[in-house]
């Protein structure tokens, strides 16, 4: 057995910021060297950020990525880090591949590169290209066909990229044939509820299949709608968890391992599942024995209640969206209800209460307790608050255009939307839309009214989850000896848009417990009318909800982006036509 100290850099790149991302690599490579690491590995596409989407189809962007990666190798050497092998993910192109029908022009590849002694020593590209959910990699990349195996201090280490671990065959099968002692995967694996244990179980299963340890280095931070929670980990060849990094923060996970020494292996006579094994030797002699570090095993929250994990994910998504898009402050239209209260609280935790500007816009239908609850929330958290009554604005509009019924109700919401967007233009705040997934699914929101904004922090949270999140956040504050940030009345009172006298959400929608379970079955698993009724839902209710969901697609297309926390959000995960006469 040989000793090896592996550093996994769980970091937060920004798409397109090649210089900033390379600085991250240099910084963490230096920290890894200072920690005595023999190798440092970074996440998938660290040089360009991930996902790059159709930027991969721009020849200039691919060229910039390739140049930045070669320049980075030289820079590492110039800064005294050339002796440390550094594995990074980058956007490359497959040279010599002519244009093929159905493949991206220019042959871009989601690739990895080994940087050592001032040079790119070898490259390889992702073999399995995911084309489901939020992924469009068949659109953006062409397939790789090699498995790099690097001999480092007498240990053979294979490298693969994200999806290559999730799929049977291909690189996974080639690792076993190569008799590598370890497989390290570079990942940009987005957060979803319940995915945490699935990821660990996958690594354990694959480790037992290939008879080798597995190191899984994942990205942190957020990019548009995707959140990357880190959770980098290492399991041994028996699938036992050896080390684990924290969630929702940057980290350098440094771990000492004892791995089987490499033996002379005859090269296979032909590719394995289309994969050629490419070997590169850095050093064949094991390092002298040394005292290993204690492994880091960051504890996980209670697996039976992941609502705190979801809350941290939402904060991460908003924090990075604000920072990476150049905003300093946010604005929330505060009604006194639970949705806007939770949105404002998430904003305060993400960017600081001093950077949250709340606007109270009461109309003649606003209840006294709603106004009081909104004012109390601002006071408890130390946010900026201002009150702009909208009754006179609505009345002026109504004098010019006579409206009644639903049109008059929607006018109030649109006036409020105009007010906050005007203040955003004037003062530079990022407006946060406050709608939840239940409302977005059923179209229970006003286009150009409460749907306006640049980002929607709770758009992937069912209404019942919104309540759970609010209760969790208050409980956390109380455990810390602090005042609960959200007034209890905002949580317990019956939800209402307050656009007409005595209005309640239940006037138009069923109870949210029932509605959310039905929506989750229809949207989350694509069950149709028959399957839903067999599952026990009332047939008339199923018809009504399906009709509401399908008719609201045009609204969802115009809704701001927001963090994905479920396995099926109402954006890139679910793409259906707006014009659609199919009845499931």
């Amino acid at each position: 057995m040989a000793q090896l100290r592996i550093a996994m850099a769980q970091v937060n790149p920004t798409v397109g910021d090649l210089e900033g991302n390379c600085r991250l690599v240099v910084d963490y490579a230096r920290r890894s060297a200072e920690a005595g690491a023999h190798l440092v590995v970074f996440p998938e596409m660290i040089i360009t950020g991930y996902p790059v989407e159709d930027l991969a189809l721009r020849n200039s962007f691919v060229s910039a990525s390739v140049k930045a990666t070669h320049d980075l190798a030289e820079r590492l050497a110039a800064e005294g880090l050339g002796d440390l092998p550094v594995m990074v993910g980058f956007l490359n192109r497959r040279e010599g591949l002519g244009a093929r029908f159905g493949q991206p022009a220019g042959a871009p590849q989601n690739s990895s590169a080994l940087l050592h002694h001032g040079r790119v020593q070898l490259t390889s590209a992702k073999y399995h290209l995911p084309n489901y959910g939020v992924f469009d990699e068949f659109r953006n990349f062409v397939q790789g066909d090699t498995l790099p195996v690097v001999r480092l201090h007498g240990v053979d280490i294979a490298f693969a990229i994200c999806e290559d671990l999730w799929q049977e065959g291909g690189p996974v099968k080639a690792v076993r044939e190569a008799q590598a002692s370890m497989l390290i995967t570079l990942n940009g694996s987005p957060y979803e509820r319940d995915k945490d244990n699935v990821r660990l179980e996958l690594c354990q299963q694959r480790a037992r299949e290939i008879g080798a340890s597995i190191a899984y280095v994942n990205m942190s931070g957020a990019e548009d709608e995707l959140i990357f929670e880190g959770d980098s980990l290492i399991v041994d060849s028996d699938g036992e968890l050896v080390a684990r990094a924290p969630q929702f923060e940057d980290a350098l996970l440094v771990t000492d391992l004892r791995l089987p020494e490499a033996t002379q292996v005859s090269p296979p006579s032909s590719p394995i599942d289309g994969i050629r094994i490419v070997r590169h030797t850095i050093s064949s002699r094991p390092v002298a024995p040394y005292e290993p570090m204690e492994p880091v095993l960051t504890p996980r929250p209670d697996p039976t209640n992941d609502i705190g994990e979801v809350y941290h994910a939402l904060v991460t998504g908003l924090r990075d969206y604000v920072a990476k898009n150049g905003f300093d402050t946010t604005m929330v239209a505060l009604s006194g209800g639970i949705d806007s209260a939770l949105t404002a609280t998430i904003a305060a935790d993400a960017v600081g209460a001093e950077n949250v500007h709340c606007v109270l816009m009461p109309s003649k239908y606003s209840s006294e307790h709603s106004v009081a609850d909104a004012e109390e929330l601002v006071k408890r958290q130390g946010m900026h608050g201002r009150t702009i009554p909208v009754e006179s604005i609505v009345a002026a509009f109504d004098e010019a255009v006579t409206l009644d019924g639903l049109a008059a109700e929607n006018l109030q919401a649109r006036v409020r939307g105009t007010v906050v967007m005007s203040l955003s233009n004037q003062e530079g705040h990022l407006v946060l839309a406050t709608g939840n997934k239940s409302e977005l699914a059923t179209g229970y929101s006003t286009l150009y009214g409460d749907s306006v904004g640049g980002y929607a922090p709770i758009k992937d949270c069912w209404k019942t989850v919104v309540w759970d999140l609010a209760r969790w956040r208050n409980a956390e504050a109380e455990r810390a000896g602090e005042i609960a940030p959200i007034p209890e009345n905002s949580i317990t009172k019956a939800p209402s848009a307050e656009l007409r006298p005595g209005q309640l959400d239940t006037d138009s929608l069923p109870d949210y417990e029932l509605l959310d379970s039905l929506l989750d079955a229809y949207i989350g698993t694509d069950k149709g009318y028959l399957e839903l009724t067999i599952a026990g839902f009332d047939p008339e209710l199923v018809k009504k909800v399906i009709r509401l969901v399908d008719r609201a697609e045009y609204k969802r297309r115009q809704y701001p982006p927001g963090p994905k926390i479920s396995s099926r959000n109402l954006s890139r995960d679910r793409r259906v036509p707006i014009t659609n006469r199919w009845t499931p």
Side-chain angles (χ1 to χ4, degrees):
M1 302 291 278
Q3 286 183 280
L4 210 58
R5 180 169 290 178
I6 303 292
M8 299 199 297
Q10 180 174 291
V11 293
N12 179 7
T14 300
V15 166
D17 185 9
L18 277 64
E19 175 58 31
N21 297 338
C22 287
R23 284 197 302 271
L24 267 179
V25 173
V26 173
D27 178 38
Y28 276 76
R30 181 174 293 108
R31 291 172 56 184
S32 300
E34 291 170 352
H38 302 121
L39 168 71
V40 58
V41 185
F42 288 83
E44 179 177 12
M45 301 283 275
I46 179 66
I47 303 300
T48 59
Y50 182 81
V52 297
E53 300 184 341
D54 281 7
L55 288 176
L57 307 181
R58 298 185 186 181
N59 187 58
S60 59
F61 188 65
V62 182
S63 296
S65 170
V66 173
K67 183 178 186 302
T69 304
H70 284 269
D71 289 349
L72 175 61
E74 296 177 3
R75 179 177 173 182
L76 288 166
E79 299 202 19
L81 299 167
D83 290 339
L84 175 66
V86 178
M87 183 64 82
V88 298
F90 78 118
L91 178 61
N92 197 12
R93 64 167 59 86
R94 184 172 181 178
E95 301 295 345
L97 183 67
R100 297 183 184 178
F101 180 75
Q103 288 194 331
Q109 291 189 306
N110 182 339
S111 302
S112 62
L114 178 66
L115 314 182
H116 192 225
H117 288 161
R119 296 182 56 202
V120 174
Q121 299 291 343
L122 82 163
T123 64
S124 182
K126 196 173 190 175
Y127 177 75
H128 291 292
L129 301 177
N131 201 48
Y132 55 85
V134 299
F135 302 106
D136 288 310
E137 296 208 3
F138 267 119
R139 173 185 176 90
N140 298 131
F141 305 117
V142 298
Q143 189 179 49
D145 61 1
T146 62
L147 175 77
V149 179
V150 177
R151 184 160 296 178
L152 175 63
H153 299 316
V155 176
D156 279 352
I157 304 173
F159 294 88
I161 302 175
C162 204
E163 191 73 10
D164 290 341
L165 184 69
W166 291 84
Q167 300 298 330
E168 303 283 350
V172 169
K173 185 175 181 180
V175 170
R176 187 174 186 87
E177 294 295 325
Q179 297 182 35
S181 296
M182 186 172 204
L183 169 62
I184 299 180
T185 63
L186 290 66
N187 302 276
S189 181
Y191 171 78
E192 292 175 6
R193 293 189 75 174
D194 304 319
K195 189 175 182 179
D196 180 70
N197 287 334
V198 170
R199 192 181 288 138
L200 172 59
E201 290 164 7
L202 171 74
C203 289
Q204 292 172 322
Q205 175 189 335
R206 291 286 186 253
R208 290 189 285 264
E209 286 175 6
I210 64 178
S213 299
I214 289 180
Y216 186 104
V217 56
N218 196 25
M219 198 174 288
S220 60
E223 189 68 38
D224 290 347
E225 293 194 317
L226 300 185
I227 303 159
F228 303 96
E229 88 274 29
D231 191 37
S232 301
L233 56 90
I234 298 176
V235 297
D236 65 20
S237 58
D238 293 323
E240 292 298 316
L241 183 62
V242 173
R244 200 168 197 176
Q247 291 179 294
F248 306 112
E249 60 183 82
D250 298 353
L252 184 67
L253 185 65
V254 181
T255 308
D256 282 311
L257 301 168
R258 292 182 62 84
L259 299 167
E261 291 185 43
T263 58
Q264 192 65 34
V265 180
S266 299
S269 57
S270 60
I272 301 160
D273 275 7
I275 300 291
R276 295 181 294 109
I277 297 172
V278 177
R279 296 183 181 274
H280 177 80
T281 298
I282 293 177
S283 55
S284 297
R285 182 175 298 177
V287 297
Y290 63 89
E291 187 67 27
M293 300 170 57
E294 191 71 24
V296 174
L297 272 168
T298 307
R300 282 296 171 273
D302 179 3
T304 63
N305 182 13
D306 65 348
I307 203 68
E309 182 181 271
V310 172
Y311 190 88
H312 287 303
L314 299 177
V315 169
T316 298
L318 176 55
R319 180 200 65 213
D320 272 17
Y321 193 86
V322 170
K324 292 182 178 183
N325 286 286
F327 289 96
D328 296 313
T329 56
T330 61
M331 175 167 280
V332 180
L334 208 58
S335 69
I338 187 57
D339 295 325
S340 62
L342 178 63
T343 300
T345 303
I346 291 169
D349 288 337
V351 301
E354 70 278 9
N355 294 313
V356 180
H357 293 253
C358 297
V359 187
L360 287 67
M361 295 173 283
S363 75
K364 63 182 179 181
Y365 300 122
S366 298
S367 62
E368 289 184 10
H369 63 76
S370 289
V371 175
D373 292 339
E375 291 173 340
E376 178 64 18
L377 183 134
V378 170
K379 178 182 176 182
R380 288 187 185 191
Q381 300 193 45
M383 303 168 181
H384 298 278
R386 73 184 88 174
T387 300
I388 303 175
V390 297
E391 185 173 345
S392 61
I393 307 174
V394 172
F397 194 104
D398 202 34
E399 284 183 12
V401 181
T402 302
L403 301 173
D404 58 22
L406 183 61
E409 293 179 25
N410 286 341
L411 173 60
Q412 297 172 67
R414 291 193 176 110
V415 164
R416 288 170 171 145
T418 299
V419 169
V420 294
M421 291 309 299
S422 297
L423 291 172
S424 170
N425 290 160
Q426 180 70 26
E427 301 172 4
H429 312 297
L430 173 66
V431 174
L432 304 179
T434 62
N436 60 64
K437 191 173 185 178
S438 307
E439 295 173 351
L440 194 59
T442 55
Y444 195 66
S445 62
T446 302
L447 204 58
Y448 319 123
D450 52 330
S451 66
V452 302
Y455 193 73
I458 61 172
K459 73 174 288 188
D460 199 25
C461 301
W462 300 120
K463 184 75 170 189
T464 48
V465 173
V466 170
W467 278 311
D468 289 341
L469 288 164
R471 294 187 188 100
W472 178 88
R473 182 62 183 86
N474 276 2
E476 285 295 294
E478 290 165 357
R479 270 193 288 271
E482 302 168 354
I483 297 174
I486 301 174
E488 184 65 20
N489 195 47
S490 292
I491 300 174
T492 57
K493 67 185 175 185
S496 169
E498 294 192 334
L499 298 177
R500 65 173 184 265
Q503 184 182 27
L504 296 174
D505 286 8
T506 49
D507 296 340
S508 304
L509 300 172
D511 176 79
Y512 278 112
E513 289 284 350
L514 174 59
L515 176 64
D516 287 355
S517 62
L518 176 51
L519 288 171
D520 199 39
Y522 180 50
I523 292 169
T525 61
D526 277 332
K527 286 184 170 65
Y529 170 80
L530 184 59
E531 294 165 295
L532 292 169
T533 54
I534 290 174
F537 293 105
D538 177 73
E540 290 305 312
L541 178 60
V542 171
K543 289 179 182 178
K544 176 182 178 179
V545 169
I546 288 177
R547 184 169 62 251
L548 288 172
V549 172
D550 291 355
R551 289 179 60 186
E553 184 61 33
Y554 76 101
K555 287 188 177 183
R556 290 188 286 273
R557 295 286 184 95
Q558 300 178 69
Y559 207 78
K564 168 184 162 64
I565 56 102
S566 71
S567 60
R568 193 119 193 256
N569 70 359
L570 288 168
S571 183
R572 291 173 53 169
D573 278 329
R574 184 180 185 271
R575 310 177 202 183
V576 298
I578 295 174
T579 306
N580 172 24
R581 292 187 179 179
W582 167 249
T583 302

